[in-house]
Amino acid sequence: MRGSRRPSWLSPKVFRTEVLAGLVVALALIPEAISFSVIAGVDPAIGLFASFTMAVTIAVVGGRPGMISAATGAVALVIGPLNREHGFGYLVAAVILAGVFQIVLGALGVAKLMRFVPRSVMVGFVNSLAILIFVAQVPEMHDVPWAVCPLLAAGLAMLVFFPKVGTVIPAPLVSIVVLTVITVAAGIAVPTVGDKGDLPSSLPVPGLPDVPFTLETLRIVAPYALAVALVGLTESLMTAKLVDDITDTHSDKTRESIGQGIANIVTGFFGRMGGCAMIGRTMINVRVSGARTRLSTFLAGAFLLVLCVVFGPVVSEIPMAALVAVMVMVCFATFDWHSIAPRTLRRRPAGEITVMVVTVACVVTTSNLAVGVVVGSVTAMVIFAKRVAHLADVTSVTDPDGTQVVHSVTGELFFAASNDLVGRFDYATDPDKVVIDLSAAHIWDASSVAALDTIETKYAQRGRTVEIISLNEASARIHQTLSGELTGGH
């Protein structure tokens, strides 16, 4: 039909890519969802079904095609104490309320705050994530049978060299299938997915959380719900921004924020733990497998359910070494090696390097991506404020007859520059007529207006008159509104 737009995934090549990517991600989700269930203190089936409902829902309502949302470690860490102290019903109630908070925050435009996240924080976020993913694999390589090492090496070799042979079937899927066949056929005893916990055998049923609907319940769950909402949005929006950069496309961050809330509400009503975007699984989907549409996200959730419920016994035989190999490759593909190259470090400003290091240190120390992003962004803002504050300058010209001096101020006037500005004038020796020319300056905040009021006061105390001229429209408006109201007049 003329004017209709055919979905890209209807193309046979794209469809094949999306289907295979969804299968690979579903396989990778199983051990991780089980591990996150352990962190939250719930049954493995809770985390697995949470990953199913999150992925399927966000595929429909999310704003970033190709991004994977599921049960995550960040959310499990936040919500685990609530489950241990008050019970599973309160955990479910907190997940639903967190979804409501995310919808409200999304509608209020919290996604727009992403523009204030500097690139150095983004690089630190990516690098720290790669480190955390690798660290999470270390226990799977420690104190294990000797056969794990050759299986892991074989898996890595297939992941590196198979793409050079062909790209029709994703290398991770080939690696997982081949290593599983080898271990089962040869009867090699190594840790498997089944060792992580029993897979579910029935479908989830929706219902209300088993808690009293009182203000006391709200008081208990609200702080946890808000923490889940903020951590989930931070990780999801950062992941969406990263996928935007990888695919060179734009996504609707506001829709993504609201979509995350809807997904958590749906997940909560099915009695499952919450979640958010998973950058590790998203990298498998987008960077390793080449997926680009919502179909891969939907199928990741659908395949996960089928694998657990229908093919549980088969999936349980997958050796953990195969999945560890995939995740190690994800680490190397995710890490921004260019950012730590000696040539790059020599050219990059010291402030940006500091921000990157602070971000990585905070994330690795706390295992919380949201903490690293917030601390890194604040550090970047402080460094920027210090640098810009010193750009404000004052140039003085005294009339030949000595009756008037014109001080020309240039630069951005805001809180960091205000104290320095006050000390740039010679109050004792200036002529009786003082003109402050702001044609090359801009007033940004009340601190700058207060500084100008202080300057006028200091001159007035010495019997000198001050005239402030040539303010641009925005500066004149804020100066007229606040002048005389901040320092008690002059």
Side-chain angles (χ1 to χ4, degrees):
M1 181 181 296
R2 182 176 295 179
S4 63
R5 185 176 181 182
R6 184 183 181 187
S8 60
W9 52 265
L10 286 178
S11 162
K13 182 179 180 181
V14 174
F15 184 81
R16 182 180 64 245
T17 299
E18 299 295 312
V19 171
L20 294 176
L23 180 57
V24 171
V25 172
L27 290 169
L29 279 173
I30 293 173
E32 198 159 84
I34 294 174
S35 299
F36 295 153
S37 298
V38 174
I39 294 174
V42 299
D43 188 80
I46 301 297
L48 288 166
F49 276 132
S51 296
F52 158 67
T53 54
M54 287 292 298
V56 169
T57 305
I58 207 67
V60 177
V61 300
R64 174 63 260 179
M67 194 165 76
I68 303 296
S69 290
T72 59
V75 171
L77 286 169
V78 171
I79 214 166
L82 177 63
N83 179 53
R84 289 188 287 271
E85 294 174 16
H86 298 280
F88 181 67
Y90 286 84
L91 180 150
V92 173
V95 169
I96 295 173
L97 184 57
V100 174
F101 283 151
Q102 288 178 329
I103 291 175
V104 173
L105 290 170
L108 292 175
V110 69
K112 295 178 181 177
L113 295 176
M114 288 303 297
R115 72 183 67 178
F116 297 108
V117 178
R119 175 167 175 74
S120 51
V121 173
M122 190 69 188
V123 172
F125 169 82
V126 170
N127 290 348
S128 57
L129 177 71
I131 294 171
L132 286 182
I133 294 174
F134 183 81
V135 170
Q137 310 313 308
V138 172
E140 304 296 340
M141 297 181 280
H142 177 68
D143 195 21
V144 292
W146 67 268
V148 169
C149 291
L151 285 173
L152 180 60
L156 290 172
M158 281 186 278
L159 290 168
V160 172
F161 295 109
F162 186 81
K164 299 178 181 179
V165 178
T167 57
V168 175
I169 302 176
L173 182 58
V174 174
S175 176
I176 291 171
V177 171
V178 170
L179 293 185
T180 302
V181 170
I182 290 174
T183 54
V184 173
I188 302 174
V190 291
T192 64
V193 169
D195 296 331
K196 290 292 183 179
D198 295 331
L199 300 183
S201 57
S202 60
L203 297 175
V205 178
L208 295 175
D210 184 18
V211 295
F213 292 91
T214 62
L215 289 176
E216 177 62 17
T217 299
L218 180 62
R219 183 192 66 80
I220 293 172
V221 303
Y224 292 94
L226 182 59
V228 169
L230 294 175
V231 168
L233 282 182
T234 301
E235 192 161 345
S236 298
L237 293 175
M238 290 294 287
T239 303
K241 186 176 180 181
L242 178 61
V243 177
D244 287 353
D245 293 340
I246 292 173
T247 61
D248 196 25
T249 58
H250 175 72
S251 61
D252 188 339
K253 305 301 188 300
T254 296
R255 178 179 173 181
E256 183 61 41
S257 301
I258 296 174
Q260 290 291 332
I262 295 173
N264 272 308
I265 290 175
V266 171
T267 300
F269 277 121
F270 273 95
R272 309 298 156 183
M273 61 183 284
C276 61
M278 302 183 72
I279 192 164
R281 297 301 170 255
T282 298
M283 289 300 99
I284 292 178
N285 194 47
V286 175
R287 177 165 277 174
V288 179
S289 301
R292 292 293 183 271
T293 76
R294 298 177 186 276
L295 181 62
S296 58
T297 305
F298 179 87
L299 290 178
F303 283 147
L304 176 63
L305 184 65
V306 173
L307 288 169
C308 292
V309 176
V310 180
F311 298 103
V314 176
V315 173
S316 296
E317 296 299 324
I318 296 175
M320 286 302 299
L323 299 175
V324 170
V326 173
M327 294 312 298
V328 169
M329 284 302 297
V330 169
C331 295
F332 279 92
T334 301
F335 197 93
D336 188 346
W337 297 100
H338 175 73
S339 67
I340 61 171
R343 183 179 179 183
T344 303
L345 294 176
R346 284 195 299 268
R347 294 184 174 185
R348 179 165 290 179
E352 292 192 11
I353 296 175
T354 300
V355 170
M356 182 178 69
V357 171
V358 167
T359 303
V360 172
C362 288
V363 172
V364 173
T365 302
T366 65
S367 297
N368 190 322
L369 295 167
V371 171
V373 171
V374 171
V375 174
S377 297
V378 171
T379 303
M381 291 177 185
V382 171
I383 293 174
F384 174 76
K386 285 187 65 177
R387 185 166 64 244
V388 174
H390 295 297
L391 297 180
D393 195 19
V394 179
T395 303
S396 304
V397 177
T398 304
D399 285 356
D401 58 8
T403 60
Q404 175 178 289
V405 62
V406 177
H407 296 293
S408 299
V409 181
T410 60
E412 308 300 318
L413 304 183
F414 65 111
F415 64 90
S418 58
N419 289 332
D420 183 57
L421 181 64
V422 173
R424 301 296 296 274
F425 297 88
D426 194 345
Y427 304 100
T429 61
D430 273 352
D432 291 339
K433 175 67 175 179
V434 178
V435 176
I436 300 178
D437 182 1
L438 297 180
S439 59
H442 186 94
I443 298 175
W444 286 104
D445 59 9
S447 296
S448 301
V449 176
L452 291 172
D453 285 353
T454 300
I455 292 168
E456 291 186 77
T457 300
K458 286 180 175 292
Y459 275 119
Q461 289 171 348
R462 293 166 175 79
R464 293 167 174 80
T465 60
V466 177
E467 181 183 6
I468 298 177
I469 64 170
S470 302
L471 287 82
N472 59 44
E473 183 178 349
S475 298
R477 185 162 54 249
I478 190 172
H479 185 264
Q480 183 178 2
T481 302
L482 298 177
S483 182
E485 303 295 328
L486 303 170
T487 59
H490 45 262

PDB file of all heavy atoms in Angstrom, residues 341-360:
ATOM      1  N   ALA A 341      44.547   4.580  25.780  1.00  0.00           N
ATOM      2  CA  ALA A 341      45.769   4.531  24.971  1.00  0.00           C
ATOM      3  C   ALA A 341      46.676   5.698  25.360  1.00  0.00           C
ATOM      4  O   ALA A 341      46.189   6.809  25.610  1.00  0.00           O
ATOM      5  CB  ALA A 341      45.423   4.608  23.488  1.00  0.00           C
ATOM      6  N   PRO A 342      47.992   5.478  25.458  1.00  0.00           N
ATOM      7  CA  PRO A 342      48.914   6.555  25.863  1.00  0.00           C
ATOM      8  C   PRO A 342      48.753   7.821  25.021  1.00  0.00           C
ATOM      9  O   PRO A 342      48.803   8.935  25.561  1.00  0.00           O
ATOM     10  CB  PRO A 342      50.292   5.920  25.674  1.00  0.00           C
ATOM     11  CG  PRO A 342      50.053   4.453  25.860  1.00  0.00           C
ATOM     12  CD  PRO A 342      48.697   4.197  25.274  1.00  0.00           C
ATOM     13  N   ARG A 343      48.562   7.657  23.720  1.00  0.00           N
ATOM     14  CA  ARG A 343      48.413   8.824  22.849  1.00  0.00           C
ATOM     15  C   ARG A 343      47.165   9.625  23.212  1.00  0.00           C
ATOM     16  O   ARG A 343      47.191  10.864  23.237  1.00  0.00           O
ATOM     17  CB  ARG A 343      48.339   8.366  21.391  1.00  0.00           C
ATOM     18  CG  ARG A 343      48.249   9.507  20.394  1.00  0.00           C
ATOM     19  CD  ARG A 343      48.204   8.966  18.970  1.00  0.00           C
ATOM     20  NE  ARG A 343      48.105  10.046  18.001  1.00  0.00           N
ATOM     21  CZ  ARG A 343      47.987   9.864  16.690  1.00  0.00           C
ATOM     22  NH1 ARG A 343      47.974   8.621  16.208  1.00  0.00           N
ATOM     23  NH2 ARG A 343      47.899  10.890  15.876  1.00  0.00           N
ATOM     24  N   THR A 344      46.076   8.922  23.532  1.00  0.00           N
ATOM     25  CA  THR A 344      44.840   9.596  23.921  1.00  0.00           C
ATOM     26  C   THR A 344      45.003  10.305  25.256  1.00  0.00           C
ATOM     27  O   THR A 344      44.560  11.443  25.430  1.00  0.00           O
ATOM     28  CB  THR A 344      43.683   8.577  24.021  1.00  0.00           C
ATOM     29  OG1 THR A 344      43.539   7.886  22.777  1.00  0.00           O
ATOM     30  CG2 THR A 344      42.374   9.279  24.355  1.00  0.00           C
ATOM     31  N   LEU A 345      45.638   9.649  26.215  1.00  0.00           N
ATOM     32  CA  LEU A 345      45.819  10.231  27.544  1.00  0.00           C
ATOM     33  C   LEU A 345      46.693  11.478  27.492  1.00  0.00           C
ATOM     34  O   LEU A 345      46.491  12.422  28.258  1.00  0.00           O
ATOM     35  CB  LEU A 345      46.430   9.193  28.490  1.00  0.00           C
ATOM     36  CG  LEU A 345      45.541   7.976  28.816  1.00  0.00           C
ATOM     37  CD1 LEU A 345      46.300   6.980  29.684  1.00  0.00           C
ATOM     38  CD2 LEU A 345      44.259   8.419  29.524  1.00  0.00           C
ATOM     39  N   ARG A 346      47.683  11.483  26.583  1.00  0.00           N
ATOM     40  CA  ARG A 346      48.554  12.660  26.472  1.00  0.00           C
ATOM     41  C   ARG A 346      47.783  13.866  25.927  1.00  0.00           C
ATOM     42  O   ARG A 346      48.065  15.007  26.308  1.00  0.00           O
ATOM     43  CB  ARG A 346      49.744  12.352  25.552  1.00  0.00           C
ATOM     44  CG  ARG A 346      50.816  11.489  26.201  1.00  0.00           C
ATOM     45  CD  ARG A 346      52.104  11.530  25.399  1.00  0.00           C
ATOM     46  NE  ARG A 346      51.911  11.019  24.036  1.00  0.00           N
ATOM     47  CZ  ARG A 346      52.090   9.760  23.682  1.00  0.00           C
ATOM     48  NH1 ARG A 346      52.454   8.863  24.585  1.00  0.00           N
ATOM     49  NH2 ARG A 346      51.901   9.371  22.429  1.00  0.00           N
ATOM     50  N   ARG A 347      46.813  13.622  25.061  1.00  0.00           N
ATOM     51  CA  ARG A 347      46.070  14.720  24.433  1.00  0.00           C
ATOM     52  C   ARG A 347      44.859  15.169  25.231  1.00  0.00           C
ATOM     53  O   ARG A 347      44.422  16.304  25.117  1.00  0.00           O
ATOM     54  CB  ARG A 347      45.615  14.284  23.037  1.00  0.00           C
ATOM     55  CG  ARG A 347      46.758  14.067  22.062  1.00  0.00           C
ATOM     56  CD  ARG A 347      46.218  13.744  20.678  1.00  0.00           C
ATOM     57  NE  ARG A 347      47.283  13.663  19.687  1.00  0.00           N
ATOM     58  CZ  ARG A 347      47.071  13.484  18.382  1.00  0.00           C
ATOM     59  NH1 ARG A 347      45.831  13.381  17.939  1.00  0.00           N
ATOM     60  NH2 ARG A 347      48.081  13.422  17.542  1.00  0.00           N
ATOM     61  N   ARG A 348      44.304  14.279  26.045  1.00  0.00           N
ATOM     62  CA  ARG A 348      43.057  14.585  26.759  1.00  0.00           C
ATOM     63  C   ARG A 348      43.341  15.483  27.950  1.00  0.00           C
ATOM     64  O   ARG A 348      44.318  15.273  28.676  1.00  0.00           O
ATOM     65  CB  ARG A 348      42.383  13.293  27.210  1.00  0.00           C
ATOM     66  CG  ARG A 348      41.096  13.490  27.980  1.00  0.00           C
ATOM     67  CD  ARG A 348      40.316  12.203  28.067  1.00  0.00           C
ATOM     68  NE  ARG A 348      39.760  11.823  26.768  1.00  0.00           N
ATOM     69  CZ  ARG A 348      39.042  10.718  26.568  1.00  0.00           C
ATOM     70  NH1 ARG A 348      38.804   9.900  27.581  1.00  0.00           N
ATOM     71  NH2 ARG A 348      38.574  10.448  25.365  1.00  0.00           N
ATOM     72  N   PRO A 349      42.503  16.504  28.211  1.00  0.00           N
ATOM     73  CA  PRO A 349      42.691  17.378  29.383  1.00  0.00           C
ATOM     74  C   PRO A 349      42.679  16.582  30.682  1.00  0.00           C
ATOM     75  O   PRO A 349      41.951  15.581  30.800  1.00  0.00           O
ATOM     76  CB  PRO A 349      41.487  18.320  29.308  1.00  0.00           C
ATOM     77  CG  PRO A 349      41.085  18.321  27.867  1.00  0.00           C
ATOM     78  CD  PRO A 349      41.373  16.939  27.371  1.00  0.00           C
ATOM     79  N   ALA A 350      43.477  17.045  31.648  1.00  0.00           N
ATOM     80  CA  ALA A 350      43.585  16.336  32.929  1.00  0.00           C
ATOM     81  C   ALA A 350      42.236  16.220  33.626  1.00  0.00           C
ATOM     82  O   ALA A 350      41.945  15.213  34.287  1.00  0.00           O
ATOM     83  CB  ALA A 350      44.588  17.054  33.835  1.00  0.00           C
ATOM     84  N   GLY A 351      41.396  17.255  33.487  1.00  0.00           N
ATOM     85  CA  GLY A 351      40.088  17.229  34.126  1.00  0.00           C
ATOM     86  C   GLY A 351      39.225  16.092  33.621  1.00  0.00           C
ATOM     87  O   GLY A 351      38.537  15.414  34.393  1.00  0.00           O
ATOM     88  N   GLU A 352      39.247  15.828  32.321  1.00  0.00           N
ATOM     89  CA  GLU A 352      38.443  14.754  31.747  1.00  0.00           C
ATOM     90  C   GLU A 352      38.949  13.384  32.184  1.00  0.00           C
ATOM     91  O   GLU A 352      38.164  12.470  32.434  1.00  0.00           O
ATOM     92  CB  GLU A 352      38.438  14.857  30.220  1.00  0.00           C
ATOM     93  CG  GLU A 352      37.686  16.083  29.694  1.00  0.00           C
ATOM     94  CD  GLU A 352      37.457  16.002  28.192  1.00  0.00           C
ATOM     95  OE1 GLU A 352      37.693  14.926  27.619  1.00  0.00           O
ATOM     96  OE2 GLU A 352      37.041  17.015  27.618  1.00  0.00           O
ATOM     97  N   ILE A 353      40.263  13.255  32.277  1.00  0.00           N
ATOM     98  CA  ILE A 353      40.832  11.992  32.754  1.00  0.00           C
ATOM     99  C   ILE A 353      40.406  11.755  34.199  1.00  0.00           C
ATOM    100  O   ILE A 353      40.051  10.640  34.590  1.00  0.00           O
ATOM    101  CB  ILE A 353      42.367  12.006  32.627  1.00  0.00           C
ATOM    102  CG1 ILE A 353      42.771  12.113  31.152  1.00  0.00           C
ATOM    103  CG2 ILE A 353      42.969  10.764  33.267  1.00  0.00           C
ATOM    104  CD1 ILE A 353      44.263  12.261  30.937  1.00  0.00           C
ATOM    105  N   THR A 354      40.439  12.827  35.002  1.00  0.00           N
ATOM    106  CA  THR A 354      40.034  12.727  36.406  1.00  0.00           C
ATOM    107  C   THR A 354      38.586  12.272  36.520  1.00  0.00           C
ATOM    108  O   THR A 354      38.257  11.391  37.323  1.00  0.00           O
ATOM    109  CB  THR A 354      40.200  14.083  37.113  1.00  0.00           C
ATOM    110  OG1 THR A 354      41.574  14.483  37.044  1.00  0.00           O
ATOM    111  CG2 THR A 354      39.762  13.992  38.570  1.00  0.00           C
ATOM    112  N   VAL A 355      37.711  12.858  35.721  1.00  0.00           N
ATOM    113  CA  VAL A 355      36.286  12.493  35.752  1.00  0.00           C
ATOM    114  C   VAL A 355      36.111  11.025  35.379  1.00  0.00           C
ATOM    115  O   VAL A 355      35.340  10.293  36.027  1.00  0.00           O
ATOM    116  CB  VAL A 355      35.480  13.395  34.795  1.00  0.00           C
ATOM    117  CG1 VAL A 355      34.052  12.866  34.638  1.00  0.00           C
ATOM    118  CG2 VAL A 355      35.455  14.819  35.307  1.00  0.00           C
ATOM    119  N   MET A 356      36.806  10.570  34.354  1.00  0.00           N
ATOM    120  CA  MET A 356      36.703   9.171  33.926  1.00  0.00           C
ATOM    121  C   MET A 356      37.156   8.227  35.036  1.00  0.00           C
ATOM    122  O   MET A 356      36.492   7.233  35.335  1.00  0.00           O
ATOM    123  CB  MET A 356      37.539   8.947  32.669  1.00  0.00           C
ATOM    124  CG  MET A 356      37.450   7.532  32.109  1.00  0.00           C
ATOM    125  SD  MET A 356      38.407   7.312  30.583  1.00  0.00           S
ATOM    126  CE  MET A 356      40.091   7.439  31.221  1.00  0.00           C
ATOM    127  N   VAL A 357      38.289   8.553  35.659  1.00  0.00           N
ATOM    128  CA  VAL A 357      38.835   7.703  36.727  1.00  0.00           C
ATOM    129  C   VAL A 357      37.895   7.687  37.936  1.00  0.00           C
ATOM    130  O   VAL A 357      37.653   6.623  38.535  1.00  0.00           O
ATOM    131  CB  VAL A 357      40.239   8.192  37.134  1.00  0.00           C
ATOM    132  CG1 VAL A 357      40.719   7.457  38.385  1.00  0.00           C
ATOM    133  CG2 VAL A 357      41.225   7.996  35.991  1.00  0.00           C
ATOM    134  N   VAL A 358      37.365   8.847  38.304  1.00  0.00           N
ATOM    135  CA  VAL A 358      36.437   8.930  39.448  1.00  0.00           C
ATOM    136  C   VAL A 358      35.192   8.083  39.179  1.00  0.00           C
ATOM    137  O   VAL A 358      34.716   7.350  40.058  1.00  0.00           O
ATOM    138  CB  VAL A 358      36.042  10.395  39.723  1.00  0.00           C
ATOM    139  CG1 VAL A 358      34.848  10.470  40.676  1.00  0.00           C
ATOM    140  CG2 VAL A 358      37.214  11.164  40.305  1.00  0.00           C
ATOM    141  N   THR A 359      34.672   8.168  37.959  1.00  0.00           N
ATOM    142  CA  THR A 359      33.488   7.384  37.603  1.00  0.00           C
ATOM    143  C   THR A 359      33.763   5.896  37.720  1.00  0.00           C
ATOM    144  O   THR A 359      32.981   5.145  38.325  1.00  0.00           O
ATOM    145  CB  THR A 359      33.031   7.712  36.170  1.00  0.00           C
ATOM    146  OG1 THR A 359      32.766   9.115  36.058  1.00  0.00           O
ATOM    147  CG2 THR A 359      31.775   6.945  35.810  1.00  0.00           C
ATOM    148  N   VAL A 360      34.885   5.460  37.155  1.00  0.00           N
ATOM    149  CA  VAL A 360      35.245   4.040  37.208  1.00  0.00           C
ATOM    150  C   VAL A 360      35.446   3.592  38.653  1.00  0.00           C
ATOM    151  O   VAL A 360      34.944   2.535  39.071  1.00  0.00           O
ATOM    152  CB  VAL A 360      36.523   3.764  36.383  1.00  0.00           C
ATOM    153  CG1 VAL A 360      37.011   2.335  36.609  1.00  0.00           C
ATOM    154  CG2 VAL A 360      36.259   4.007  34.906  1.00  0.00           C
TER     155      VAL A 360
END
